[in-house]
Amino acid sequence: MTAHVIGDTAVLTGRSLRHILRSPDTIITTAVTPIALMLLFVYVFGGAIELGAGQGSYIDYMLPGILLITIASGIAYTAYRLFLDLQGGIFERFQSLPISRSSVLWAHVLTSLVSILVSLAIVIGVALLMGFRTGASFGAWLGVAGMLVLFTLALTWLAVIPGLTAKTVDGASAFSYPLIFLPFISSAFVPTESMPAPVQWFADNQPVTSIVDSMRALFAGQPVGSDIWVAMAWLVGILVAAYIGSMAIYRRKIS
């Protein structure tokens, strides 16, 4: 049974990836917005932001937040592609075939993961050209990569919900806008100590801050502390909740 699910998912993922290879503008568009923000913040606003002693250059400080924005930008296409497949009747055709039902959703999620990882690689490459430097060990890089993968999977499964329930194309992708702006109310671009008290409380207690702080420490080769456990709790919690919700909605759709 497991081999059947894996085989079906691999075939359907290959189908989705071929669509992206024929139209790579999805990956390019996903990378353009965070790169533009990175250029704006580093070369326009960066000189006016006080980071404090030992924080390094501004590009080093802000890159974790930019990577999360890259992911949030990319998941909108997951909801968009899923909505088009649903409206185009492809799901009904798949139901008539002897394939695992869950493999249809997993194919969209894995396609999103691959395309977003390519976009992340592009953004990191541009950051290196802009002066980003890291003393991270191989293990620290693996830790950063693991957090980025978990964040992508969590938000992608979250994107499946509007992809299945939206009434219009715009509605399917619009949900990602608040997620793109969430890093701006966190420690991603400025220390939270500079914010008004109510905003600082929200910034300190929302998931992006613990994720960004953990990645920043890993890149700098510094002790991560308790932030990593808070970040992992958020990531795993969102992933599990989004997966359960998505599968429940999907089962109702195809029943």
Side-chain angles (χ1 to χ4, degrees):
M1 178 64 179
T2 302
H4 178 53
V5 173
I6 293 174
D8 292 342
T9 302
V11 171
L12 293 175
T13 302
R15 163 190 170 268
S16 297
L17 286 174
R18 283 192 293 273
H19 290 170
I20 290 180
L21 289 175
R22 296 192 193 106
S23 181
D25 56 300
T26 297
I27 294 174
I28 296 170
T29 304
T30 299
V32 163
T33 298
I35 289 173
L37 287 172
M38 194 159 53
L39 292 168
L40 178 66
F41 273 86
V42 171
Y43 295 125
V44 178
F45 301 138
I49 296 175
E50 296 289 338
L51 296 179
Q55 293 285 1
S57 67
Y58 189 58
I59 183 68
D60 296 345
Y61 183 87
M62 72 176 298
L63 182 61
I66 289 293
L67 296 178
L68 298 191
I69 288 176
T70 305
I71 295 171
S73 300
I75 60 166
Y77 291 99
T78 304
Y80 171 77
R81 289 190 294 264
L82 190 57
F83 177 84
L84 291 184
D85 275 1
L86 193 63
Q87 297 300 311
I90 294 178
F91 276 37
E92 286 77 7
R93 294 179 215 167
F94 286 154
Q95 289 179 53
S96 66
L97 299 174
I99 62 175
S100 168
R101 293 184 173 185
S102 63
S103 63
V104 177
L105 290 188
W106 271 109
H108 280 280
V109 170
L110 293 178
T111 300
S112 175
L113 177 62
V114 172
S115 62
I116 288 175
L117 288 178
V118 173
S119 297
L120 289 171
I122 293 171
V123 171
I124 291 174
V126 173
L128 289 169
L129 293 175
M130 293 174 62
F132 169 69
R133 296 296 180 264
T134 174
S137 64
F138 179 72
W141 270 105
L142 285 180
V144 170
M147 295 183 73
L148 291 173
V149 168
L150 270 179
F151 191 73
T152 303
L153 288 173
L155 291 197
T156 301
W157 277 108
L158 204 59
V160 168
I161 296 174
L164 291 172
T165 58
K167 303 300 182 183
T168 65
V169 172
D170 291 338
S173 55
F175 90 101
S176 66
Y177 298 152
L179 300 177
I180 293 172
F181 286 105
L182 200 58
F184 291 98
I185 316 175
S186 73
S187 63
F189 298 104
V190 296
T192 59
E193 292 79 7
S194 64
M195 302 175 182
V199 179
Q200 181 183 351
W201 180 89
F202 176 81
D204 287 338
N205 292 282
Q206 60 123 318
V208 169
T209 291
S210 58
I211 297 169
V212 163
D213 289 347
S214 299
M215 291 172 58
R216 190 178 289 134
L218 289 170
F219 275 138
Q222 298 173 351
V224 179
S226 61
D227 283 331
I228 186 68
W229 301 113
V230 176
M232 292 301 294
W234 274 112
L235 289 170
V236 173
I238 294 171
L239 175 57
V240 171
Y243 175 78
I244 292 173
S246 297
M247 293 304 297
I249 293 170
Y250 179 58
R251 291 190 187 99
R252 286 200 298 270
K253 280 282 183 181
I254 62 177
S255 62

